[in-house]
Amino acid sequence: MKSIALACTLTAAVISLGAGAANAGCMTKAAVATSTSADSAKWFAMETMVQNVSWGLWPGFLANGDVAGYKVTNKQYRCSPDGGMVTCHGRATFCAK
């Protein structure tokens, strides 16, 4: 019985590692932000996503909007009015260069 459990565990680990290799260096992040305009809410959502990747990237993002060392793709936003403000749900994929 122990050998069957060990075999199943090893199989699951190999499958997990194989799946991770296909997306090596990439991660998808999401954030929600509310501001006075859609453009501003999108910026704040991206700022939060950058912070979730690494706080070390944040100063560069504030300075010039760049996410050093990463290619940002699949940026998607869904924005809607929210009591005189605008709330945006953002999502993006960050891949290490």
Side-chain angles (χ1 to χ4, degrees), residues 6-91:
L6 179 60
C8 289
T9 301
L10 289 174
T11 302
V14 169
I15 291 170
S16 294
L17 289 174
N23 293 326
C26 292
M27 62 192 100
T28 300
K29 298 294 182 180
V32 178
T34 301
S35 190
T36 56
S37 70
D39 286 342
S40 179
K42 288 177 185 179
W43 190 91
F44 284 118
M46 179 56 75
E47 178 189 27
T48 302
M49 290 185 271
V50 168
Q51 290 170 347
N52 283 320
V53 172
S54 171
W55 272 96
L57 299 171
W58 183 62
F61 179 76
L62 287 181
N64 59 22
D66 188 35
V67 184
Y70 288 87
K71 180 179 179 185
V72 183
T73 59
N74 301 323
K75 287 190 245 182
Q76 300 172 1
Y77 296 97
R78 188 182 75 243
C79 301
S80 58
D82 188 7
M85 304 287 275
V86 178
T87 296
C88 292
H89 296 253
R91 181 182 185 108

